Amino acid sequence: MKQGTTILTLDNGYHLWTNTQGTGDIHLLCLHGGPGGTHEYWENFAQELKKQGLDVTVHIYDQLGSFYSDQPDYSDPETAAKYLTYDYFLDEVEEVRQKLGLDNFYLIGQSWGGALVQMYALKYGQHLKGAIISSMVDNIDEYVTNINKVREDALPADAVAYMKECEARNDYDNERYQGYVDILNAGYVDRKQPPAISHLISTMATPVYNAFQGDNEFVITGKLDQWDVRDQIKNITMPTLITFGEHETMPLATAKRMAEQIPHARLATTPNGGHHHMIDNAPVYFDHLATFIKDVESGNFKD
């Protein structure tokens, strides 16, 4: 299989940036978060899994609209209506799988990518050997309850009140408001804040992020406010790893329930890890991931 970077041409004519590393017979396809984020926190996965004794071929890509892939003109209503949908991004995963020639593979997704993993496992699960849901719940209601508690615990009451006032009047560009968002991000999203994935400019695809999430991780004003597959996750039948940071935006109580309701699921949590716990506490995160893959490969996976 070709190593390095390849530009995939989709059937719709757009192009996606992809990269393949590793030479093993085990294949892992990675789905970034955001939506509208980038592949960058997956870049060391082949290397880190190698340290764990696994030769895994790791495939990463930027979803349509993200920094390294084509960016449609979402200001055009028809384009936005066609491509800023759950169905588009789900079927994009399947097209990438086909064009990369993958089958009987592992699929990992973080945050928004974890939502795609759940949807893919439900619709295209026959192609999966294992699913890894990293820092993503199966419904938005429990997330909203938790995220409100997170900021009430992390910030003074007057700061929370001020944030709510700004949100009520759609004043997200307010400097004081964004200062509070920065504090919350440092505590619960990017706790380690590594310089390796920082940029001189933002790489977030804001039209995609705004359409689904909103302005920031602590409010939901986009299409994710309808996210709910609680009644379906019992139909995810392949071995599944649910991995959450112990100090992040997503509620651990939901992760525990998901691990009980998905028939063959295991929950692993990362101490001192935020939403990006693959960076915050990499040794523990990769130990959990490698153990899961080794157990599935050896036929010794237990819930």
Side-chain angles (χ1 to χ4, degrees):
M1 180 167 286
K2 183 180 182 296
Q3 298 292 297
T5 296
T6 299
I7 304 301
L8 289 186
T9 302
L10 299 175
D11 293 345
N12 58 29
Y14 286 115
H15 303 88
L16 299 185
W17 181 99
T18 77
N19 185 274
T20 295
Q21 301 177 32
T23 57
D25 293 332
I26 301 169
H27 290 265
L28 175 68
L29 178 62
C30 305
L31 308 178
H32 64 69
T38 75
H39 67 277
E40 291 173 291
Y41 49 69
W42 305 124
E43 288 179 343
N44 66 339
F45 267 55
Q47 179 184 25
E48 290 296 329
L49 289 170
K50 189 83 167 180
K51 293 178 185 176
Q52 300 284 340
L54 282 173
D55 189 2
V56 178
T57 300
V58 177
H59 309 269
I60 60 182
Y61 75 97
D62 268 21
Q63 297 157 23
L64 187 66
S66 292
F67 192 77
Y68 295 91
S69 291
D70 277 358
Q71 299 169 23
D73 179 10
Y74 295 121
S75 66
D76 174 51
E78 290 186 9
T79 300
K82 184 174 182 179
Y83 293 111
L84 292 178
T85 70
Y86 287 104
D87 287 343
Y88 168 73
F89 283 105
L90 171 59
D91 291 337
E92 180 185 84
V93 179
E94 171 60 6
E95 187 173 352
V96 168
R97 178 199 72 81
Q98 293 177 16
K99 292 189 183 305
L100 292 177
L102 303 180
D103 212 351
N104 199 31
F105 69 105
Y106 294 88
L107 183 66
I108 185 171
Q110 188 268 344
S111 196
W112 157 253
L116 290 174
V117 169
Q118 293 173 61
M119 290 187 286
Y120 190 92
L122 290 166
K123 185 174 181 179
Y124 298 110
Q126 70 271 21
H127 299 296
L128 294 180
K129 183 182 289 187
I132 302 103
I133 302 166
S134 188
S135 295
M136 187 59 191
V137 292
D138 59 358
N139 75 96
I140 209 63
D141 295 338
E142 292 172 33
Y143 171 82
V144 170
T145 298
N146 186 70
I147 210 66
N148 283 328
K149 183 178 185 305
V150 161
R151 69 177 180 180
E152 286 168 5
D153 290 344
L155 297 174
D158 63 323
V160 175
Y162 185 79
M163 290 187 78
K164 290 181 178 179
E165 290 172 10
C166 291
E167 289 158 9
R169 60 177 184 264
N170 205 32
D171 183 19
Y172 294 107
D173 292 332
N174 182 291
E175 185 175 349
R176 180 181 169 191
Y177 178 89
Q178 289 298 328
Y180 292 138
V181 171
D182 290 342
I183 292 170
L184 293 168
N185 281 337
Y188 297 90
V189 181
D190 294 306
R191 287 172 62 79
K192 199 167 183 178
Q193 298 186 303
I197 61 169
S198 62
H199 291 267
L200 296 177
I201 61 171
S202 172
T203 59
M204 177 61 71
T206 52
V208 184
Y209 186 81
N210 294 161
F212 284 90
Q213 173 80 17
D215 175 80
N216 62 76
E217 293 293 286
F218 303 91
V219 291
I220 303 288
T221 58
K223 296 178 181 181
L224 278 169
D225 68 355
Q226 300 299 314
W227 169 249
D228 193 341
V229 293
R230 275 174 287 191
D231 62 340
Q232 300 177 52
I233 61 168
K234 64 181 182 294
N235 298 320
I236 296 176
T237 58
M238 71 290 303
T240 302
L241 174 65
I242 301 168
T243 171
F244 275 47
E246 292 182 4
H247 199 81
E248 70 152 280
T249 56
M250 296 286 170
L252 282 173
T254 299
K256 293 174 182 176
R257 175 184 55 72
M258 291 170 64
E260 293 172 357
Q261 293 179 336
I262 296 174
H264 305 291
R266 171 190 298 173
L267 172 63
T269 63
T270 303
N272 300 315
H275 198 46
H276 292 144
H277 51 296
M278 73 282 284
I279 295 173
D280 296 329
N281 193 345
V284 172
Y285 181 94
F286 284 106
D287 176 68
H288 290 156
L289 178 58
T291 298
F292 170 72
I293 295 174
K294 288 175 182 177
D295 287 348
V296 176
E297 290 294 309
S298 65
N300 293 319
F301 176 77
K302 293 181 176 61
D303 305 353

